[in-house]
Amino acid sequence: KAGVTQTPRYLIKTRGQQVTLSCSPISGHRSVSWYQQTPGQGLQFLFEYFSETQRNKGNFPGRFSGRQFSNSRSEMNVSTLELGDSALYLCASSANGQFRGELFFGEGSRLTVL
Amino acid sequence: AQTVTQSQPEMSVQEAETVTLSCTYDTSESNYYLFWYKQPPSRQMILVIRQEAYKQQNATENRFSVNFQKAAKSFSLKISDSQLGDTAMYFCASEGAQKLVFGQGTRLTINP
């Protein structure tokens, strides 16, 4: 079974631009979560989707948004990029939204904002 | 609010030694799960071990075991017979409200 796939793996943007990151969960998984990882703040929860509905959202500004499609694939968007948005963005999926089970992570999308 | 604290930013041991990584947490949930995740240099996070809070027995997975002290809100990870492949960042996490709250991580290096 294929794992969680994130694209692109690396990208460089400039301040003020916007970016869209994609995540394909493991086949059959309906829950997709996004986390931001930085050296200073560690891993911070962005949002979680289950069956196209956002169930939970972390403490990030409205510039950060996401969505989930009917095939469970998810995208997250960051608008008006700031230098502080440079981070590794991790996507994770779980089966049937049973969060008390295991989260399966992708390799991440490394965003650099110049 | 949930919090997870890992007090050891870095640790280093010799191959075959036993090492214990510390974690304390705080949660208002009555029933919750705790996790240790490993992030090797290739960056993909993988689950090492999981503990259900209502179970008194400590979880074990081969060379990995936990010491779960519910009253003290402590959840340490013990790695026995450490191997070079155990070199990674280790994150302690607690679960609640459809999200994981992670600690800051411990960078573990296994030396040959």
Side-chain angles (χ1 to χ4, degrees):
Chain A
K1 189 184 268 191
V4 177
T5 304
Q6 292 188 246
T7 56
R9 291 288 309 280
Y10 303 90
L11 64 167
I12 300 174
K13 294 285 187 179
T14 57
R15 281 179 297 176
Q17 288 187 311
Q18 74 166 15
V19 65
T20 299
L21 308 178
S22 180
C23 172
S24 293
I26 291 173
S27 178
H29 285 193
R30 294 163 63 190
S31 170
V32 173
S33 304
W34 289 89
Y35 290 84
Q36 182 196 63
Q37 186 176 17
T38 60
Q41 299 297 318
L43 283 149
Q44 292 188 292
F45 172 76
L46 282 156
F47 23 66
E48 189 260 351
Y49 289 88
F50 179 76
S51 294
E52 302 180 67
T53 299
Q54 185 182 88
R55 295 197 297 184
N56 200 358
K57 189 178 191 302
N59 295 323
F60 280 81
R63 301 185 296 106
F64 291 80
S65 63
R67 60 179 175 169
Q68 186 180 33
F69 302 96
S70 58
N71 62 357
S72 293
R73 190 178 70 86
S74 177
E75 289 181 347
M76 66 163 284
N77 183 276
V78 187
S79 62
T80 319
L81 284 167
E82 301 177 359
L83 296 179
D85 298 333
S86 294
L88 180 66
Y89 290 87
L90 294 172
C91 168
S93 73
S94 69
N96 299 320
Q98 294 297 320
F99 241 76
R100 292 175 169 184
E102 181 174 353
L103 276 187
F104 294 83
F105 284 85
E107 292 186 303
S109 293
R110 169 76 65 186
L111 171 65
T112 301
V113 182
L114 302 176
Chain B
Q2 285 177 273
T3 59
V4 177
T5 303
Q6 294 178 248
S7 59
Q8 305 151 312
E10 293 189 32
M11 297 187 72
S12 178
V13 298
Q14 296 298 120
E15 194 175 6
E17 290 183 345
T18 293
V19 59
T20 299
L21 308 183
S22 301
C23 173
T24 58
Y25 65 94
D26 193 13
T27 179
S28 58
E29 300 282 332
S30 57
N31 189 21
Y32 52 91
Y33 284 55
L34 299 167
F35 307 87
W36 278 98
Y37 278 86
K38 169 184 176 181
Q39 188 178 40
S42 65
R43 301 201 305 258
Q44 188 167 27
M45 299 256 288
I46 56 174
L47 178 68
V48 175
I49 198 164
R50 172 179 58 208
Q51 175 77 42
E52 300 172 53
Y54 69 89
K55 288 188 175 180
Q56 293 187 335
Q57 187 173 7
N58 290 323
T60 62
E61 288 287 343
N62 301 312
R63 298 183 295 108
F64 299 87
S65 61
V66 299
N67 183 4
F68 175 47
Q69 301 291 326
K70 191 172 184 178
K73 294 187 176 178
S74 170
F75 182 60
S76 61
L77 174 69
K78 185 172 82 171
I79 306 174
S80 303
D81 185 27
S82 58
Q83 301 175 359
L84 297 179
D86 295 332
T87 293
M89 282 289 290
Y90 287 81
F91 293 94
C92 178
S94 71
E95 172 270 345
Q98 288 86 44
K99 69 178 183 182
L100 294 183
V101 175
F102 288 90
Q104 287 292 96
T106 297
R107 184 178 303 280
L108 176 64
T109 302
I110 310 298
N111 299 306

